[in-house]
Amino acid sequence: MRGSELSHLPSDIELGVRLHRSADTFTDSHPLVLDLKQEFTGKLRRMSGVIIDIYFDYLLMTNWKEYSTSNSHILFAQFYDELETFSLPISSEFDKQAERLVKYRWLNQYSNRDTCFQAYSSIESRLGNKIQFAVHANHFIKQNHNLFARKFSQFYPELLEHGVNFVQSYSVPK
């Protein structure tokens, strides 16, 4: 979803987009994440935010029960069922992305570390292979898993609290 004007969206979708953007901003400016980015060297530093974001998805999935009482398989099945029948008439880009999400069930795949490498490789392809980082990122992540896991376990409860506060204080922008 591009742009700041979102009033054309259903209110729950607008809230979701704004929550996602707020979570991204919170994450990108968080001291723990900024510290973690400093661990990256050379060419990997340029892609550090992307690498961290994807690896944190993996860490969330492997530690799901620490953060949610919902069964992730049931939750994602409901999400995919709703996504199959949902459409934004004004956004063919959204519909294409939704179709890929349903087809490949990416969210379910993040409990497997190899999915991170596949995601990095996919990003390389989308960038026309101008930035080669997937192999190095995969190696770096494996070497530094404990550091990432420690930072994630400190960071994620704060992100959850941020999300709850955002939703509770949300009012439709004028």
Side-chain angles (χ1 to χ4, degrees):
M1 214 35 72
R2 299 192 196 286
S4 59
E5 176 52 45
L6 303 173
S7 62
H8 61 284
L9 297 172
S11 61
D12 55 341
I13 301 299
E14 180 178 354
L15 170 59
V17 171
R18 293 191 188 283
L19 173 60
H20 188 112
R21 289 176 177 176
S22 177
D24 282 348
T25 299
F26 179 84
T27 300
D28 291 343
S29 63
H30 196 284
L32 288 165
V33 174
L34 294 173
D35 285 347
L36 192 53
K37 285 181 175 184
Q38 295 304 308
E39 297 293 326
F40 289 82
T41 59
K43 294 179 182 179
L44 279 185
R45 184 166 283 182
R46 180 176 184 187
M47 299 304 291
S48 63
V50 171
I51 295 165
I52 292 168
D53 184 46
I54 291 169
Y55 201 67
F56 274 12
D57 288 344
Y58 162 76
L59 291 169
L60 173 59
M61 292 308 301
T62 57
N63 297 288
W64 183 267
K65 291 180 181 176
E66 291 181 38
Y67 304 107
S68 179
T69 57
S70 299
N71 180 302
S72 63
H73 299 292
I74 294 170
L75 183 68
F76 290 152
Q78 291 169 339
F79 167 74
Y80 289 124
D81 286 346
E82 287 183 30
L83 195 57
E84 281 187 282
T85 60
F86 184 81
S87 179
L88 286 176
I90 46 115
S91 179
S92 62
E93 183 180 327
F94 172 87
D95 290 339
K96 288 176 190 172
Q97 184 70 1
E99 191 176 303
R100 288 189 295 268
L101 263 170
V102 169
K103 181 177 180 180
Y104 298 109
R105 310 264 173 181
W106 291 324
L107 299 176
N108 300 55
Q109 303 302 317
Y110 275 104
S111 59
N112 180 342
R113 192 185 320 209
D114 290 341
T115 300
C116 297
F117 178 70
Q118 292 167 356
Y120 302 146
S121 297
S122 176
I123 291 167
E124 274 184 5
S125 292
R126 280 185 274 146
L127 295 173
N129 293 310
K130 293 175 186 162
I131 301 173
Q132 298 284 313
F133 72 98
V135 171
H136 297 296
N138 200 41
H139 181 69
F140 182 80
I141 291 286
K142 286 179 181 178
Q143 284 186 318
N144 294 284
H145 168 79
N146 291 338
L147 173 64
F148 278 81
R150 190 171 58 254
K151 295 283 188 182
F152 177 81
S153 68
Q154 294 171 311
F155 163 76
Y156 197 71
E158 293 182 34
L159 177 61
L160 285 175
E161 183 179 346
H162 170 80
V164 168
N165 291 338
F166 181 89
V167 171
Q168 288 175 344
S169 64
Y170 181 75
S171 61
V172 178
K174 295 178 181 169

